[in-house]
């Protein structure tokens, strides 16, 4: 097993992998792979690192994996898979889809086994359908793992397609390294035990520990009830329907900078909004029953000088991110996660956006939990070569969750200053919008017992006295029962001793009578 000692060793392994792949695999055949995959391998360190990590940093094994993966990608045309290239009936069945998160914050990839019927004529379409979902997710949340859920409720032998299952296994074993967080088999009928023993052999040692078998009640060990359907004891009201695709968590109405107001009300409420807390203006959990318009115009755009003046105050005490995602329009720091904890200094997190273009770039930030977070600024512009600090803070007593997500959206503004942001976002084509997703990381924090007592000394003392009294009463009751049992035992012991003495006397009497009877007269 190859081991790495540091960042320099990893970089050497990455360069060695690239060089050897170029010399040993590409030199003889340029048509073997999709050129887009080869180009990405040469530029994306995370991609190469994923293959190396999955193969325990053995370059030879990683190269074989890259070769097999790239051939598969070209055969299936993965780079060109779109919603329009997949038969519509595949989406309508609802047999495979992305929805929800497990307790660790990993996206759930659902397979409804009872909806799958083995059919040689459609197997290729089904395989491309799975590849479509995986590639879509890989582009939206690069480097973030998935939890696969095989829901086997009401399924039978007719639903088991071993060729298809092996393909799904290979997707995570070879084609998408480091993508698999865990694979949960829910409510598996006993008659299928033999089939899943074969599946275990396909997984290999690096993935066998990720396979989890769970009943309907046990599945809540891995997934919270809010993302489980009712037949698994969950409370998730989600019902699959198509269109649209169900994996986009940012489609719910989100008020970027305050309540949703109509165009007529916007002007009259501006003065009112300026007097409120700056963090309250970024997201608002109130949803009006019949919204007419979402106002994306941020206060920071109308009072830019004031925002610059208090920028240092907003980011005071907030830790600066250490990683960076290199985007086409903006560099985003951190690259993957916003960290939140339980301490006062851990309730804020910082996003730094850096404009890498020659034009002004408009941006806005959205979240899947607008009632929890306040973002300042949530929508504004970034000048060429400049950076913007965005403070994301937990609102009130809210707690961050690994399931929470943030979406950073950016687009170039050709006519800087000539249009309002609200109008700009309405008119900009979706193809020109850069999107980058961030998830939440919850820092572990253990409060000592002393601090808990300090927070609520009266309640703690009262509760402690009550608990002590209860414990003493239980001990006294236990002693009383033991004393009763002991007295009972002593009484029985006395009775037994008495019986033994009576038997001894009777025995002696018998011996005496026998001796007397045997004497000659």
């Amino acid at each position: 097993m190859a081991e790495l000692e540091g960042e320099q060793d990893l970089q050497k392994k990455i360069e060695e992998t690239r060089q050897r792949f170029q010399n040993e695999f590409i030199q003889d055949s340029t048509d073997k792979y999709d050129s887009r995959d080869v180009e990405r391998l040469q530029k994306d360190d995370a991609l190469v690192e994923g293959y190396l990590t999955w193969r325990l940093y053995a370059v030879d094994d990683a190269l074989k994996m890259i070769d097999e993966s790239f051939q598969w990608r070209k055969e299936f045309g993965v780079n060109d898979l779109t919603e329009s290239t997949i038969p519509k009936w595949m989406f309508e069945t609802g047999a495979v889809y992305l929805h929800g998160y497990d307790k660790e914050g990993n996206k759930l990839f659902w397979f409804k086994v009872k909806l799958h019927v083995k059919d040689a004529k459609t197997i290729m379409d089904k395989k491309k359908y799975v590849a479509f979902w995986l590639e879509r997710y890989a582009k939206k949340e690069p480097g973030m793992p998935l939890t696969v859920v095989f829901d086997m409720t009401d399924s039978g032998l007719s639903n088991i397609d071993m060729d298809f299952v092996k393909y799904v296994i290979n997707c995570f074993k070879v084609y998408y390294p480091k993508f698999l967080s865990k694979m949960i088999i829910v409510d598996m009928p006993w008659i299928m035990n033999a089939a899943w023993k074969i599946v275990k052999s396909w997984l290999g040692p690096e993935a066998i520990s990720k396979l989890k078998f769970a009943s309907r009640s046990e599945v809540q060990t891995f997934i919270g009830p809010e993302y489980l359907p009712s037949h698994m004891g969950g409370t998730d009201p989600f019902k699959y329907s198509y269109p649209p695709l169900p994996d986009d968590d940012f489609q719910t109405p989100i008020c970027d900078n305050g309540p949703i107001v109509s165009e007529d009300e916007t002007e009259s409420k501006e003065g009112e909004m300026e007097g409120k807390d700056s963090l309250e203006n970024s997201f608002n959990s109130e949803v009006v029953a019949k919204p007419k318009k979402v106002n994306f115009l941020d206060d920071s755009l109308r009072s830019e000088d004031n925002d610059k003046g208090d920028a240092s105050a907003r980011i005071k005490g907030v830790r600066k991110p250490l990683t960076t995602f290199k985007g086409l329009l903006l560099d985003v720091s951190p690259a993957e996660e916003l960290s939140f904890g339980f301490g006062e200094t851990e309730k804020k997190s910082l996003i730094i956006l850096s404009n890498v273009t020659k034009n002004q770039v408009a941006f806005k930030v959205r979240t899947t939990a607008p009632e929890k977070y306040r973002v300042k600024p949530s929508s504004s512009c970034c000048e060429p070569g400049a950076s913007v600090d965005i403070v994301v803070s937990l609102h009130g007593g809210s707690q961050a969750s690994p399931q929470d997500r943030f979406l950073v959206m950016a687009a170039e503004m050709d006519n800087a200053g000539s249009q309002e942001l609200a109008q700009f976002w309405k008119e900009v084509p979706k193809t020109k919008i850069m999107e980058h997703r961030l998830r939440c990381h919850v820092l572990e924090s253990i409060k000592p017992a002393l601090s808990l007592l300090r927070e609520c000394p009266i309640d703690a003392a009262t509760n402690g006295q009550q608990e002590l009294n209860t414990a003493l009463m239980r001990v006294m009751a236990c002693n009383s029962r033991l004393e009763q049992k002991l007295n009972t035992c002593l009484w029985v012991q006395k009775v037994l001793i008495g019986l033994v003495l009576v038997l001894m006397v009777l025995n002696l009497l018998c011996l005496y009578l026998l001796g007397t009877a045997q004497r000659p007269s």
Side-chain angles (χ1 to χ4, degrees), residues 345-400:
T345 59
E346 297 173 339
K347 290 186 177 182
K348 292 183 179 181
S349 196
L350 184 66
I351 301 174
I352 301 176
L353 303 181
S354 301
N355 188 347
V356 295
T357 72
K358 296 180 180 179
N359 297 318
Q360 194 178 55
V361 173
F363 69 85
K364 60 181 177 180
V365 181
R366 289 190 167 190
T367 177
T368 57
E371 72 283 355
K372 288 185 181 181
Y373 300 96
R374 298 294 179 261
V375 182
K376 182 67 177 180
S378 65
S379 178
S380 188
C381 300
C382 187
E383 299 296 327
S387 296
V388 175
D389 293 335
I390 300 173
V391 177
V392 181
S393 58
L394 283 164
H395 178 58
S398 300
Q399 297 294 337

Side-chain angles (χ1 to χ4, degrees), residues 166-178:
K166 189 173 185 179
Y167 168 78
V168 174
I169 297 293
N170 270 339
C171 282
F172 293 98
K173 185 179 177 182
V174 180
Y175 310 143
Y176 291 90
K178 289 182 66 179

Side-chain angles (χ1 to χ4, degrees), residues 20-38 63-79:
R20 286 186 57 184
F21 187 77
Q22 186 72 32
N23 296 337
E24 299 173 21
F25 291 86
I26 297 181
Q27 202 168 23
D28 298 332
S29 176
T30 56
D31 298 330
K32 192 176 180 181
Y33 316 113
D34 189 320
S35 60
R36 289 168 288 185
D37 292 328
V38 176
L63 287 170
K64 292 177 183 177
M65 189 177 180
I66 294 170
D67 174 53
E68 185 178 349
S69 176
F70 280 16
Q71 287 191 61
W72 167 79
R73 290 180 66 85
K74 182 167 185 179
E75 178 189 354
F76 278 71
V78 175
N79 287 314

Side-chain angles (χ1 to χ4, degrees), residues 16-271:
E16 180 187 350
T17 303
R18 284 175 173 155
Q19 191 63 44
R20 286 186 57 184
F21 187 77
Q22 186 72 32
N23 296 337
E24 299 173 21
F25 291 86
I26 297 181
Q27 202 168 23
D28 298 332
S29 176
T30 56
D31 298 330
K32 192 176 180 181
Y33 316 113
D34 189 320
S35 60
R36 289 168 288 185
D37 292 328
V38 176
E39 183 180 357
R40 185 177 164 221
L41 187 76
Q42 296 300 325
K43 294 181 178 180
D44 190 349
D45 286 356
L47 177 65
V48 185
E49 184 184 349
Y51 287 110
L52 285 169
T53 305
W54 198 244
R55 285 294 175 253
L56 304 176
Y57 302 100
V59 176
D60 288 339
D61 294 341
L63 287 170
K64 292 177 183 177
M65 189 177 180
I66 294 170
D67 174 53
E68 185 178 349
S69 176
F70 280 16
Q71 287 191 61
W72 167 79
R73 290 180 66 85
K74 182 167 185 179
E75 178 189 354
F76 278 71
V78 175
N79 287 314
D80 298 314
L81 287 177
T82 62
E83 193 174 344
S84 60
T85 61
I86 304 294
K88 187 178 179 181
W89 67 267
M90 295 289 298
F91 292 102
E92 292 173 341
T93 60
V96 179
Y97 58 87
L98 287 162
H99 172 70
Y101 301 93
D102 67 11
K103 288 186 175 180
E104 296 174 349
N106 302 310
K107 193 78 173 180
L108 298 177
F109 194 20
W110 292 87
F111 286 80
K112 298 286 187 178
V113 179
K114 72 175 182 179
L115 300 177
H116 178 84
V117 179
K118 187 174 181 179
D119 184 359
K121 294 180 181 179
T122 60
I123 187 64
M124 183 56 71
D125 285 333
K126 291 174 181 176
K127 289 181 177 181
K128 286 186 177 182
Y129 183 53
V130 173
F132 164 81
W133 280 111
L134 290 173
E135 189 68 10
R136 178 182 172 86
Y137 180 75
K139 289 177 179 177
K140 287 196 170 187
E141 299 200 35
M144 297 183 183
L146 283 168
T147 290
V148 178
V149 183
F150 280 98
D151 181 3
M152 305 193 72
T153 306
D154 300 328
S155 63
L157 290 176
S158 61
N159 303 118
I160 295 296
D161 185 346
M162 298 306 287
D163 178 51
F164 181 71
V165 172
K166 189 173 185 179
Y167 168 78
V168 174
I169 297 293
N170 270 339
C171 282
F172 293 98
K173 185 179 177 182
V174 180
Y175 310 143
Y176 291 90
K178 289 182 66 179
F179 244 53
L180 184 63
S181 168
K182 63 184 76 70
M183 184 176 289
I184 308 173
I185 318 299
V186 184
D187 205 22
M188 185 184 71
W190 66 269
I191 200 169
M192 297 183 188
N193 282 335
W196 282 102
K197 285 182 180 178
I198 298 173
V199 171
K200 278 187 176 182
S201 67
W202 291 338
L203 280 171
E206 67 277 351
I208 193 69
S209 61
K210 299 177 183 290
L211 187 62
K212 312 291 182 183
F213 292 89
S215 64
R216 296 186 194 184
S217 58
E218 293 169 339
V219 71
Q220 293 197 26
T221 306
F222 310 103
I223 306 169
E226 67 273 18
Y227 287 118
L228 285 174
S230 57
H231 71 268
M232 291 185 184
T235 57
D236 190 359
F238 172 80
K239 299 292 182 183
Y240 180 88
S241 63
Y242 177 83
L245 295 176
D247 68 323
D248 196 345
D249 299 301
F250 301 94
Q251 291 298 316
T252 53
I254 293 178
C255 312
D256 289 44
N257 301 292
I260 298 176
V261 294
S262 68
E263 191 170 359
D264 297 333
E265 295 171 318
T266 303
E267 188 175 346
S268 63
K269 293 209 173 190
E270 282 179 4

Side-chain angles (χ1 to χ4, degrees), residues 295-350:
N295 180 19
F296 289 113
L297 188 59
D298 192 83
D299 286 351
S300 62
L301 198 64
R302 298 190 295 268
S303 55
E304 187 175 347
D305 294 336
N306 291 337
D307 275 354
K308 287 181 179 178
D310 65 4
S312 58
R314 284 192 286 110
I315 65 174
K316 185 178 180 182
V318 184
R319 289 180 297 179
K320 289 189 175 181
L322 302 176
T323 58
T324 302
F325 166 77
K326 302 288 185 180
L328 295 174
L329 305 179
L330 297 173
D331 287 350
V332 183
S333 298
E336 296 180 357
E337 296 179 332
L338 293 177
S339 297
F340 294 93
F342 297 93
E344 287 301 320
T345 59
E346 297 173 339
K347 290 186 177 182
K348 292 183 179 181
S349 196
L350 184 66

